[in-house]
Amino acid sequence: MAMLRAVKTAFLPRFSSLISTARSVSTLVVAEHEGGAIKGPSISAVEAAKALGDGNLISILVAGSGPSLQEAAAHAASCHPSISQVLVAYSDKFTHSLAEPWARLVHLVQQKGGYSHILAAANSFGKNILPRAAALLDVSPITDVIDISGSSQFVRPIYAGNALCTVRYTGTSPCMLTIRSTSFPVPAISADTKSNEARISQVDLSTFGEDSVGKSRYVQHTSQDTERPDLGSARIVVTGGRGLKSAENFKMIEKLAEKLGAAVGATRAAVDAGFVPNDLQVGQTGKIVAPELYMAFGVSGAIQHIAGMRDSRVIVAVNKDSDAPIFQVADYGLVGDLFEVIPELLEKLPEKK
Amino acid sequence: MKVLVAVKRVVDYAVKIRVKPDKSGVETQNVKMSMNPFCEIALEEALRIKEAGLASEVVAVSMGSAQCVDTLRTGLAMGADRGIHVEATGALYPLTVAKVLKALVEVEKPRLIIMGKQAIDDDCNQTGQMVAGLLGWPQGTFASKVLLDREKQLATVEREVDGGLETLCLDLPAVITTDLRLNQPRYATLPNIMKAKSKVIKKYTPQELNVEIKSDLEVIEVTEPPKRKAGVIVSSVDELIDKLKNEAHVI
């Protein structure tokens, strides 16, 4: 008996590690679509899923109604070479991405599919739906994952990005994650995507639980129509802070952004002062961006703002206060009056290609 | 109608945190702690709802160590009617907090739960959604405006979403999580701080509420983020453009 126990303890660790590597990884990516196409952050979640393990079978779930869903399903089938299956849930319950029906849908699809992982983008869509679905499945989700090492170990920022926490998921399947899309950029898709187009299948909604569905109703959406690139995925971001002093002056930032082909960002101070709408806010409570070039004008660099842009490749700060904390993270700092610097930049910057 | 507000004690938002040398976490000893800013906004909204005559009672709830009582006192000084402290040691994850809140809902029978959209320490942004899911209640997350209709038992919630604002109509009972722009929280005045000392804080343990504290997560390590290499201060716009063009190659 004692010998047997000794054998057990000697072999069990190796044996169990064998099991865990042999256990197949299958992932469901809950995707958001608009205008017949899968949104960029959802495709980044597919990219992240690749890191969960070799031979990961990746399915993508799209839901909604109307012809735009069919287009989105077709786009999903070819938007990323790693997708092996597209699941389509066709019902007008899902048209407005309300959390109640969507969380039920994820629950239903998980019961049938038994996925080891469920992923969504850490944007307002994913953060609204995924935790609710996790509660229905009685598992703890992991928010805003920036790095994946294997099927159960993840890195995520805490304290506004001032610390990085490595966590191991020890719970039951599925392991649910929201993915920070700027940490998983999607490589340029090769032209030859037709060859590995994914299979499209319909989700059977006959057992869809109506519990808590219909208790919330969509009323309206007001969007800021903008012709500039999307803040979350722009190559260059030009941001204005309190130093701009007025909404009128903020137009200088917009002009500069136009010249650079950049997106416009703002600090909380600029939003609260009414210079720009809140969806331009960059920071812990706004958007997280990681562009090639981040230019901050009249931004002091509060912890909460730095949290949203610290992973930018090149950071430029223009501020008249040489002690502003933003200079501690800037690659290039210019101490000066932005009301002189911006016009000079507008004049001297090369035209965008 | 009773409103339940969940508040969390966290490291004050203005503190520059330090990672412990043994990488087990972030230093919280001898660090200024405060009510999570989003929770303050949640409590302020509940108080405004009560002051508008739409709610009869505002109950503040906090879970964690004994010091959470300080956070509850702050909430009572702002104007909450009474407090509930669920005393627990060790890390509480959102799923556990959501289960405790669900158990308290069964005791207190509120028609509305208001809470912050995220705690600024763990930055999870999960608890509100999870408690709504467990209760089968509708959720209005990231709220920047809340309108209650007591007659029809509806809440109209304007939400901050990517690319703009979305308005939803929720049947009560419901869960609402607050974004920063919902309101400007009030300061507690000295007389109210004194009054708060005599308000009741009821104590529970998770066991009394039949909630098992378990965790699906194991923290392996907590580290500092990579430092950015020191930058340079340029002296003119020309130099800046030159560096961006020829050194960083970004324009």
Side-chain angles (χ1 to χ4, degrees):
Chain A
M1 190 65 199
M3 209 176 124
L4 189 67
R5 201 174 292 138
V7 168
K8 247 186 183 170
T9 45
F11 282 94
L12 213 60
R14 274 187 60 198
F15 186 55
S16 62
S17 78
L18 266 177
I19 290 176
S20 70
T21 47
R23 191 199 292 149
S24 64
V25 178
S26 60
T27 304
L28 178 72
V29 175
V30 185
E32 188 183 15
H33 61 95
E34 190 179 42
I38 303 299
K39 284 196 179 182
S42 300
I43 303 177
S44 286
V46 175
E47 184 66 28
K50 277 166 50 184
L52 291 168
D54 294 333
N56 184 4
L57 278 173
I58 302 173
S59 302
I60 186 165
L61 172 66
V62 290
S65 56
S68 78
L69 177 63
Q70 276 157 6
E71 283 170 41
H75 181 239
S78 60
C79 71
H80 195 291
S82 298
I83 297 172
S84 61
Q85 190 186 16
V86 181
L87 298 170
V88 187
Y90 197 94
S91 164
D92 50 18
K93 290 187 192 77
F94 309 124
T95 308
H96 294 297
S97 46
L98 294 169
E100 295 77 14
W102 271 84
R104 276 268 152 234
L105 174 65
V106 172
H107 184 246
L108 174 83
V109 171
Q110 170 61 20
Q111 280 178 328
K112 288 186 184 165
Y115 299 93
S116 64
H117 293 75
I118 301 180
L119 271 59
N123 54 10
S124 58
F125 167 83
K127 284 183 172 175
N128 188 40
I129 292 167
L130 206 83
R132 187 177 178 109
L136 301 181
L137 293 160
D138 195 27
V139 298
S140 284
I142 303 168
T143 300
D144 227 359
V145 169
I146 60 168
D147 193 28
I148 295 174
S149 41
S151 61
S152 63
Q153 195 159 313
F154 314 100
V155 180
R156 59 177 303 265
I158 54 174
Y159 289 89
N162 289 300
L164 299 179
C165 184
T166 305
V167 291
R168 181 180 296 140
Y169 184 72
T170 56
T172 52
S173 281
C175 170
M176 299 178 79
L177 315 169
T178 59
I179 300 297
R180 179 174 289 191
S181 46
T182 54
S183 300
F184 297 93
V186 181
I189 293 161
S190 64
D192 182 36
T193 47
K194 288 283 168 212
S195 58
N196 42 26
E197 199 158 307
R199 183 161 51 91
I200 299 179
S201 50
Q202 298 264 340
V203 176
D204 174 14
L205 294 172
S206 59
T207 56
F208 184 74
E210 292 289 323
D211 171 44
S212 78
V213 174
K215 289 183 182 173
S216 65
R217 291 163 298 280
Y218 170 85
V219 179
Q220 63 168 9
H221 181 94
T222 42
S223 61
Q224 301 297 330
D225 53 339
T226 169
E227 284 159 23
R228 278 184 294 272
D230 173 55
L231 182 55
S233 56
R235 203 181 71 82
I236 304 178
V237 173
V238 183
T239 289
R242 199 200 304 268
L244 266 300
K245 294 200 173 80
S246 72
E248 196 53 42
N249 291 339
F250 209 93
K251 296 217 164 68
M252 288 167 40
I253 295 286
E254 288 165 15
K255 247 189 224 149
L256 187 60
E258 212 163 291
K259 181 136 193 191
L260 289 163
V264 171
T267 63
R268 185 178 173 210
V271 172
D272 283 353
F275 301 170
V276 284
N278 60 273
D279 57 330
L280 297 187
Q281 187 183 323
V282 172
Q284 186 182 19
T285 61
K287 295 256 169 48
I288 312 285
V289 301
E292 289 279 294
L293 173 61
Y294 189 86
M295 302 182 85
F297 294 90
V299 173
S300 65
I303 301 171
Q304 292 81 6
H305 182 74
I306 303 286
M309 47 67 87
R310 66 185 308 148
D311 294 327
S312 306
R313 190 164 80 77
V314 176
I315 298 174
V316 172
V318 176
N319 202 308
K320 61 183 177 191
D321 174 11
S322 60
D323 293 329
I326 188 83
F327 286 120
Q328 289 163 20
V329 296
D331 299 281
Y332 303 109
L334 180 54
V335 180
D337 186 347
L338 62 92
F339 294 104
E340 290 163 17
V341 173
I342 297 180
E344 202 179 334
L345 275 170
L346 279 169
E347 189 190 317
K348 291 180 175 168
L349 275 173
E351 284 300 325
K352 67 171 170 179
K353 285 152 235 160
Chain B
M1 181 178 92
K2 196 188 284 184
V3 183
L4 201 67
V5 180
V7 297
K8 184 176 184 184
R9 180 175 182 268
V10 298
V11 172
D12 188 85
Y13 76 95
V15 170
K16 182 150 177 37
I17 56 121
R18 285 193 321 269
V19 172
K20 288 185 189 169
D22 67 357
K23 297 185 178 179
S24 63
V26 166
E27 192 58 70
T28 53
Q29 294 294 315
N30 303 317
V31 172
K32 187 186 177 198
M33 305 291 279
S34 302
M35 189 188 290
N36 179 42
F38 290 101
C39 303
E40 284 186 342
I41 295 168
L43 182 53
E44 174 66 33
E45 194 64 19
L47 296 172
R48 289 185 189 188
I49 287 168
K50 190 188 165 192
E51 284 158 1
L54 297 166
S56 53
E57 193 183 30
V58 174
V59 182
V61 183
S62 194
M63 321 175 184
S65 66
Q67 292 100 313
C68 290
V69 170
D70 302 342
T71 310
L72 283 171
R73 288 280 171 221
T74 307
L76 297 173
M78 280 174 74
D81 295 292
R82 58 192 170 86
I84 296 173
H85 177 214
V86 182
E87 187 156 8
T89 50
L92 290 174
Y93 288 94
L95 183 59
T96 308
V97 175
K99 286 178 179 174
V100 170
L101 283 172
K102 179 179 187 257
L104 286 173
V105 163
E106 279 149 22
V107 179
E108 293 283 339
K109 310 257 186 283
R111 298 285 288 167
L112 186 61
I113 300 177
I114 310 184
M115 51 205 299
K117 77 162 178 182
Q118 77 191 64
I120 60 162
D121 52 0
D122 62 24
D123 283 333
C124 276
N125 195 333
Q126 298 170 350
T127 309
Q129 295 88 312
M130 297 187 94
V131 72
L134 293 177
L135 289 163
W137 290 6
Q139 68 190 50
T141 50
F142 326 143
S144 59
K145 197 191 258 179
V146 175
L147 285 172
L148 282 185
D149 185 330
R150 194 166 54 173
E151 296 284 294
K152 296 183 186 141
Q153 288 288 301
L154 294 175
T156 305
V157 179
E158 193 179 271
R159 307 177 55 230
E160 295 198 0
V161 294
D162 297 335
L165 295 167
E166 180 186 76
T167 311
L168 301 180
C169 185
L170 314 176
D171 292 343
L172 295 183
V175 177
I176 291 172
T177 73
T178 61
D179 216 315
L180 275 176
R181 259 160 299 275
L182 181 59
N183 59 46
Q184 191 67 47
R186 68 194 65 187
Y187 290 103
T189 58
L190 189 60
N192 285 342
I193 293 170
M194 299 311 287
K195 246 188 266 171
K197 291 187 200 281
S198 58
K199 289 182 180 173
V200 178
I201 295 178
K202 188 164 184 187
K203 277 199 187 294
Y204 286 100
T205 61
Q207 293 74 30
E208 284 166 345
L209 296 165
N210 284 320
V211 178
E212 184 203 352
I213 297 188
K214 58 159 193 158
S215 165
D216 293 341
L217 299 169
E218 180 192 342
V219 174
I220 306 291
E221 63 172 14
V222 174
T223 55
E224 288 195 24
K227 289 248 186 315
R228 290 187 73 95
K229 67 168 176 52
V232 292
I233 297 289
V234 296
S235 56
S236 68
V237 169
D238 291 311
E239 195 187 340
L240 177 63
I241 292 177
D242 176 64
K243 296 263 192 203
L244 291 179
K245 222 190 268 179
N246 302 317
E247 194 176 276
H249 308 289
V250 281
I251 55 170

